[in-house]
Amino acid sequence: YRSWSKYDKAIEGQQQALAIAKKLGKEEDIASFLIGIASTYYSWGKYDKAVENFQQALAINRKLGTKHLIAWSHKLIGDTYCQLLKYDKAIENYRDALAINRKLGREDMVASSLEDLGNVYLDLDQSDKAMENYRDALAINRKLGIEDGEYVLNDDRISLSLLKVGGVYEYKSQYDKAMEIYREALAIVR
């Protein structure tokens, strides 16, 4: 239903599944259905309801100790706070996701968290902090994508990271540097 923009029907079906999971005491399923409900509210533009459900899922994932899902919940909460323009709360959740992903050694998700932070800092006109996070993400994406000295994996992530770095240079009116970075991104995707 969500893919057809019938959000109310999607919520109704997800809440029925949630009720069954609660009756069965299946905590993992409860958290999963809460994330589904929250994601539907997010798509619908009902961000307060999305945050509420994401936070309930986070609490369950904390209780279960599922670290990767705790990090994912923080990321989703951060995304939602961005939509609500509550950047301080978005930063807090992105930093929590970053810290957990670092402890877990999930380098791809570390890069993603750094990019999320960079996006917020750019929205806040803090281009130096944005650049720092984007460059760190780019370094990780490059490391993950190199094999025998050539980019063979992760090309999309590398080129997207380059575009973010180039965007900051453009934002700072450093057009020559921006063009250099954009050319590098183009070379990777060709």
Side-chain angles (χ1 to χ4, degrees), residues 140-162:
I140 292 167
N141 284 326
R142 280 186 167 146
K143 182 177 80 174
L144 293 174
I146 293 178
E147 185 176 297
D148 295 326
E150 292 187 29
Y151 294 122
V152 292
L153 304 169
N154 219 25
D155 286 353
D156 290 342
R157 292 298 307 238
I158 294 166
S159 59
L160 287 173
S161 290
L162 283 166

PDB file of all heavy atoms in Angstrom, residues 140-162:
ATOM      1  N   ILE A 140      37.011   6.446   3.440  1.00  0.00           N
ATOM      2  CA  ILE A 140      36.522   5.096   3.743  1.00  0.00           C
ATOM      3  C   ILE A 140      35.985   4.424   2.482  1.00  0.00           C
ATOM      4  O   ILE A 140      36.299   3.268   2.202  1.00  0.00           O
ATOM      5  CB  ILE A 140      35.440   5.135   4.843  1.00  0.00           C
ATOM      6  CG1 ILE A 140      36.068   5.552   6.182  1.00  0.00           C
ATOM      7  CG2 ILE A 140      34.730   3.788   4.963  1.00  0.00           C
ATOM      8  CD1 ILE A 140      35.051   5.923   7.235  1.00  0.00           C
ATOM      9  N   ASN A 141      35.187   5.155   1.708  1.00  0.00           N
ATOM     10  CA  ASN A 141      34.622   4.574   0.494  1.00  0.00           C
ATOM     11  C   ASN A 141      35.715   4.193  -0.499  1.00  0.00           C
ATOM     12  O   ASN A 141      35.621   3.162  -1.168  1.00  0.00           O
ATOM     13  CB  ASN A 141      33.612   5.524  -0.142  1.00  0.00           C
ATOM     14  CG  ASN A 141      32.297   5.527   0.606  1.00  0.00           C
ATOM     15  OD1 ASN A 141      31.880   4.497   1.133  1.00  0.00           O
ATOM     16  ND2 ASN A 141      31.642   6.661   0.678  1.00  0.00           N
ATOM     17  N   ARG A 142      36.756   5.005  -0.581  1.00  0.00           N
ATOM     18  CA  ARG A 142      37.887   4.653  -1.451  1.00  0.00           C
ATOM     19  C   ARG A 142      38.560   3.382  -0.954  1.00  0.00           C
ATOM     20  O   ARG A 142      38.883   2.498  -1.736  1.00  0.00           O
ATOM     21  CB  ARG A 142      38.886   5.799  -1.500  1.00  0.00           C
ATOM     22  CG  ARG A 142      38.481   6.898  -2.436  1.00  0.00           C
ATOM     23  CD  ARG A 142      39.565   7.938  -2.549  1.00  0.00           C
ATOM     24  NE  ARG A 142      39.301   8.812  -3.675  1.00  0.00           N
ATOM     25  CZ  ARG A 142      39.608  10.092  -3.705  1.00  0.00           C
ATOM     26  NH1 ARG A 142      40.212  10.650  -2.668  1.00  0.00           N
ATOM     27  NH2 ARG A 142      39.337  10.813  -4.766  1.00  0.00           N
ATOM     28  N   LYS A 143      38.774   3.305   0.349  1.00  0.00           N
ATOM     29  CA  LYS A 143      39.429   2.123   0.924  1.00  0.00           C
ATOM     30  C   LYS A 143      38.601   0.866   0.652  1.00  0.00           C
ATOM     31  O   LYS A 143      39.145  -0.180   0.323  1.00  0.00           O
ATOM     32  CB  LYS A 143      39.625   2.325   2.429  1.00  0.00           C
ATOM     33  CG  LYS A 143      40.343   1.177   3.125  1.00  0.00           C
ATOM     34  CD  LYS A 143      40.561   1.461   4.592  1.00  0.00           C
ATOM     35  CE  LYS A 143      39.280   1.177   5.333  1.00  0.00           C
ATOM     36  NZ  LYS A 143      39.369   1.265   6.777  1.00  0.00           N
ATOM     37  N   LEU A 144      37.306   0.983   0.773  1.00  0.00           N
ATOM     38  CA  LEU A 144      36.431  -0.169   0.555  1.00  0.00           C
ATOM     39  C   LEU A 144      36.333  -0.556  -0.912  1.00  0.00           C
ATOM     40  O   LEU A 144      36.018  -1.697  -1.231  1.00  0.00           O
ATOM     41  CB  LEU A 144      35.019   0.120   1.091  1.00  0.00           C
ATOM     42  CG  LEU A 144      34.892   0.278   2.603  1.00  0.00           C
ATOM     43  CD1 LEU A 144      33.471   0.695   2.962  1.00  0.00           C
ATOM     44  CD2 LEU A 144      35.269  -1.008   3.314  1.00  0.00           C
ATOM     45  N   GLY A 145      36.608   0.386  -1.806  1.00  0.00           N
ATOM     46  CA  GLY A 145      36.402   0.135  -3.231  1.00  0.00           C
ATOM     47  C   GLY A 145      37.640  -0.173  -4.023  1.00  0.00           C
ATOM     48  O   GLY A 145      37.565  -0.356  -5.229  1.00  0.00           O
ATOM     49  N   ILE A 146      38.810  -0.266  -3.402  1.00  0.00           N
ATOM     50  CA  ILE A 146      40.047  -0.492  -4.151  1.00  0.00           C
ATOM     51  C   ILE A 146      40.471  -1.950  -4.056  1.00  0.00           C
ATOM     52  O   ILE A 146      40.492  -2.543  -2.992  1.00  0.00           O
ATOM     53  CB  ILE A 146      41.183   0.410  -3.624  1.00  0.00           C
ATOM     54  CG1 ILE A 146      40.873   1.871  -3.934  1.00  0.00           C
ATOM     55  CG2 ILE A 146      42.517   0.004  -4.231  1.00  0.00           C
ATOM     56  CD1 ILE A 146      41.905   2.837  -3.426  1.00  0.00           C
ATOM     57  N   GLU A 147      40.794  -2.489  -5.210  1.00  0.00           N
ATOM     58  CA  GLU A 147      41.348  -3.835  -5.283  1.00  0.00           C
ATOM     59  C   GLU A 147      42.418  -3.810  -6.368  1.00  0.00           C
ATOM     60  O   GLU A 147      42.162  -3.400  -7.502  1.00  0.00           O
ATOM     61  CB  GLU A 147      40.252  -4.833  -5.643  1.00  0.00           C
ATOM     62  CG  GLU A 147      40.713  -6.266  -5.630  1.00  0.00           C
ATOM     63  CD  GLU A 147      39.556  -7.213  -5.896  1.00  0.00           C
ATOM     64  OE1 GLU A 147      38.616  -7.228  -5.071  1.00  0.00           O
ATOM     65  OE2 GLU A 147      39.595  -7.907  -6.909  1.00  0.00           O
ATOM     66  N   ASP A 148      43.618  -4.220  -6.033  1.00  0.00           N
ATOM     67  CA  ASP A 148      44.742  -4.204  -6.980  1.00  0.00           C
ATOM     68  C   ASP A 148      44.950  -2.822  -7.589  1.00  0.00           C
ATOM     69  O   ASP A 148      45.240  -2.686  -8.775  1.00  0.00           O
ATOM     70  CB  ASP A 148      44.541  -5.248  -8.084  1.00  0.00           C
ATOM     71  CG  ASP A 148      44.546  -6.661  -7.543  1.00  0.00           C
ATOM     72  OD1 ASP A 148      45.294  -6.912  -6.566  1.00  0.00           O
ATOM     73  OD2 ASP A 148      43.807  -7.496  -8.072  1.00  0.00           O
ATOM     74  N   GLY A 149      44.767  -1.784  -6.764  1.00  0.00           N
ATOM     75  CA  GLY A 149      45.039  -0.422  -7.220  1.00  0.00           C
ATOM     76  C   GLY A 149      43.972   0.205  -8.091  1.00  0.00           C
ATOM     77  O   GLY A 149      44.131   1.316  -8.567  1.00  0.00           O
ATOM     78  N   GLU A 150      42.869  -0.505  -8.333  1.00  0.00           N
ATOM     79  CA  GLU A 150      41.803   0.050  -9.165  1.00  0.00           C
ATOM     80  C   GLU A 150      40.477   0.009  -8.410  1.00  0.00           C
ATOM     81  O   GLU A 150      40.246  -0.874  -7.605  1.00  0.00           O
ATOM     82  CB  GLU A 150      41.652  -0.757 -10.456  1.00  0.00           C
ATOM     83  CG  GLU A 150      42.827  -0.615 -11.386  1.00  0.00           C
ATOM     84  CD  GLU A 150      42.554  -1.295 -12.719  1.00  0.00           C
ATOM     85  OE1 GLU A 150      41.377  -1.373 -13.125  1.00  0.00           O
ATOM     86  OE2 GLU A 150      43.523  -1.747 -13.335  1.00  0.00           O
ATOM     87  N   TYR A 151      39.620   0.973  -8.748  1.00  0.00           N
ATOM     88  CA  TYR A 151      38.284   0.969  -8.163  1.00  0.00           C
ATOM     89  C   TYR A 151      37.472  -0.128  -8.837  1.00  0.00           C
ATOM     90  O   TYR A 151      37.193  -0.066 -10.019  1.00  0.00           O
ATOM     91  CB  TYR A 151      37.586   2.314  -8.354  1.00  0.00           C
ATOM     92  CG  TYR A 151      38.218   3.447  -7.607  1.00  0.00           C
ATOM     93  CD1 TYR A 151      38.683   4.572  -8.261  1.00  0.00           C
ATOM     94  CD2 TYR A 151      38.366   3.392  -6.222  1.00  0.00           C
ATOM     95  CE1 TYR A 151      39.272   5.615  -7.558  1.00  0.00           C
ATOM     96  CE2 TYR A 151      38.953   4.425  -5.521  1.00  0.00           C
ATOM     97  CZ  TYR A 151      39.401   5.531  -6.198  1.00  0.00           C
ATOM     98  OH  TYR A 151      39.988   6.551  -5.507  1.00  0.00           O
ATOM     99  N   VAL A 152      37.132  -1.143  -8.078  1.00  0.00           N
ATOM    100  CA  VAL A 152      36.337  -2.233  -8.639  1.00  0.00           C
ATOM    101  C   VAL A 152      35.019  -2.401  -7.896  1.00  0.00           C
ATOM    102  O   VAL A 152      34.085  -2.977  -8.414  1.00  0.00           O
ATOM    103  CB  VAL A 152      37.112  -3.571  -8.624  1.00  0.00           C
ATOM    104  CG1 VAL A 152      38.276  -3.511  -9.588  1.00  0.00           C
ATOM    105  CG2 VAL A 152      37.572  -3.927  -7.233  1.00  0.00           C
ATOM    106  N   LEU A 153      34.978  -1.925  -6.698  1.00  0.00           N
ATOM    107  CA  LEU A 153      33.778  -2.021  -5.883  1.00  0.00           C
ATOM    108  C   LEU A 153      33.428  -0.633  -5.379  1.00  0.00           C
ATOM    109  O   LEU A 153      34.282   0.238  -5.278  1.00  0.00           O
ATOM    110  CB  LEU A 153      34.021  -2.936  -4.673  1.00  0.00           C
ATOM    111  CG  LEU A 153      34.508  -4.343  -4.977  1.00  0.00           C
ATOM    112  CD1 LEU A 153      34.961  -5.016  -3.695  1.00  0.00           C
ATOM    113  CD2 LEU A 153      33.404  -5.150  -5.629  1.00  0.00           C
ATOM    114  N   ASN A 154      32.188  -0.426  -5.058  1.00  0.00           N
ATOM    115  CA  ASN A 154      31.810   0.795  -4.358  1.00  0.00           C
ATOM    116  C   ASN A 154      31.934   2.057  -5.217  1.00  0.00           C
ATOM    117  O   ASN A 154      32.031   3.145  -4.693  1.00  0.00           O
ATOM    118  CB  ASN A 154      32.687   0.928  -3.093  1.00  0.00           C
ATOM    119  CG  ASN A 154      31.919   1.458  -1.916  1.00  0.00           C
ATOM    120  OD1 ASN A 154      30.715   1.312  -1.839  1.00  0.00           O
ATOM    121  ND2 ASN A 154      32.620   2.085  -1.000  1.00  0.00           N
ATOM    122  N   ASP A 155      31.979   1.900  -6.555  1.00  0.00           N
ATOM    123  CA  ASP A 155      32.145   3.060  -7.426  1.00  0.00           C
ATOM    124  C   ASP A 155      31.076   4.123  -7.187  1.00  0.00           C
ATOM    125  O   ASP A 155      31.371   5.310  -7.168  1.00  0.00           O
ATOM    126  CB  ASP A 155      32.109   2.650  -8.901  1.00  0.00           C
ATOM    127  CG  ASP A 155      33.377   1.945  -9.339  1.00  0.00           C
ATOM    128  OD1 ASP A 155      34.331   1.898  -8.548  1.00  0.00           O
ATOM    129  OD2 ASP A 155      33.397   1.440 -10.472  1.00  0.00           O
ATOM    130  N   ASP A 156      29.821   3.681  -7.026  1.00  0.00           N
ATOM    131  CA  ASP A 156      28.748   4.646  -6.809  1.00  0.00           C
ATOM    132  C   ASP A 156      28.970   5.425  -5.523  1.00  0.00           C
ATOM    133  O   ASP A 156      28.770   6.638  -5.475  1.00  0.00           O
ATOM    134  CB  ASP A 156      27.388   3.948  -6.755  1.00  0.00           C
ATOM    135  CG  ASP A 156      26.957   3.408  -8.108  1.00  0.00           C
ATOM    136  OD1 ASP A 156      27.512   3.838  -9.130  1.00  0.00           O
ATOM    137  OD2 ASP A 156      26.059   2.550  -8.133  1.00  0.00           O
ATOM    138  N   ARG A 157      29.364   4.725  -4.457  1.00  0.00           N
ATOM    139  CA  ARG A 157      29.593   5.404  -3.175  1.00  0.00           C
ATOM    140  C   ARG A 157      30.752   6.394  -3.286  1.00  0.00           C
ATOM    141  O   ARG A 157      30.700   7.481  -2.740  1.00  0.00           O
ATOM    142  CB  ARG A 157      29.891   4.376  -2.072  1.00  0.00           C
ATOM    143  CG  ARG A 157      28.735   3.485  -1.695  1.00  0.00           C
ATOM    144  CD  ARG A 157      27.575   4.283  -1.140  1.00  0.00           C
ATOM    145  NE  ARG A 157      28.015   5.138  -0.069  1.00  0.00           N
ATOM    146  CZ  ARG A 157      27.565   5.130   1.149  1.00  0.00           C
ATOM    147  NH1 ARG A 157      26.632   4.298   1.478  1.00  0.00           N
ATOM    148  NH2 ARG A 157      28.021   5.964   2.054  1.00  0.00           N
ATOM    149  N   ILE A 158      31.805   5.998  -3.996  1.00  0.00           N
ATOM    150  CA  ILE A 158      32.963   6.881  -4.151  1.00  0.00           C
ATOM    151  C   ILE A 158      32.555   8.118  -4.938  1.00  0.00           C
ATOM    152  O   ILE A 158      32.854   9.246  -4.532  1.00  0.00           O
ATOM    153  CB  ILE A 158      34.125   6.141  -4.844  1.00  0.00           C
ATOM    154  CG1 ILE A 158      34.649   5.016  -3.946  1.00  0.00           C
ATOM    155  CG2 ILE A 158      35.258   7.117  -5.183  1.00  0.00           C
ATOM    156  CD1 ILE A 158      35.539   4.024  -4.658  1.00  0.00           C
ATOM    157  N   SER A 159      31.868   7.920  -6.052  1.00  0.00           N
ATOM    158  CA  SER A 159      31.487   9.070  -6.871  1.00  0.00           C
ATOM    159  C   SER A 159      30.513   9.978  -6.127  1.00  0.00           C
ATOM    160  O   SER A 159      30.610  11.209  -6.225  1.00  0.00           O
ATOM    161  CB  SER A 159      30.916   8.630  -8.220  1.00  0.00           C
ATOM    162  OG  SER A 159      29.790   7.818  -8.054  1.00  0.00           O
ATOM    163  N   LEU A 160      29.595   9.403  -5.346  1.00  0.00           N
ATOM    164  CA  LEU A 160      28.671  10.237  -4.569  1.00  0.00           C
ATOM    165  C   LEU A 160      29.421  11.024  -3.490  1.00  0.00           C
ATOM    166  O   LEU A 160      29.121  12.199  -3.254  1.00  0.00           O
ATOM    167  CB  LEU A 160      27.568   9.391  -3.949  1.00  0.00           C
ATOM    168  CG  LEU A 160      26.515   8.867  -4.917  1.00  0.00           C
ATOM    169  CD1 LEU A 160      25.571   7.895  -4.220  1.00  0.00           C
ATOM    170  CD2 LEU A 160      25.730  10.010  -5.540  1.00  0.00           C
ATOM    171  N   SER A 161      30.398  10.386  -2.856  1.00  0.00           N
ATOM    172  CA  SER A 161      31.203  11.103  -1.862  1.00  0.00           C
ATOM    173  C   SER A 161      31.973  12.241  -2.522  1.00  0.00           C
ATOM    174  O   SER A 161      32.067  13.338  -1.972  1.00  0.00           O
ATOM    175  CB  SER A 161      32.183  10.156  -1.164  1.00  0.00           C
ATOM    176  OG  SER A 161      31.509   9.263  -0.320  1.00  0.00           O
ATOM    177  N   LEU A 162      32.523  11.968  -3.704  1.00  0.00           N
ATOM    178  CA  LEU A 162      33.232  13.026  -4.437  1.00  0.00           C
ATOM    179  C   LEU A 162      32.283  14.181  -4.772  1.00  0.00           C
ATOM    180  O   LEU A 162      32.669  15.352  -4.664  1.00  0.00           O
ATOM    181  CB  LEU A 162      33.852  12.459  -5.716  1.00  0.00           C
ATOM    182  CG  LEU A 162      35.124  11.638  -5.523  1.00  0.00           C
ATOM    183  CD1 LEU A 162      35.436  10.848  -6.781  1.00  0.00           C
ATOM    184  CD2 LEU A 162      36.296  12.540  -5.133  1.00  0.00           C
TER     185      LEU A 162
END
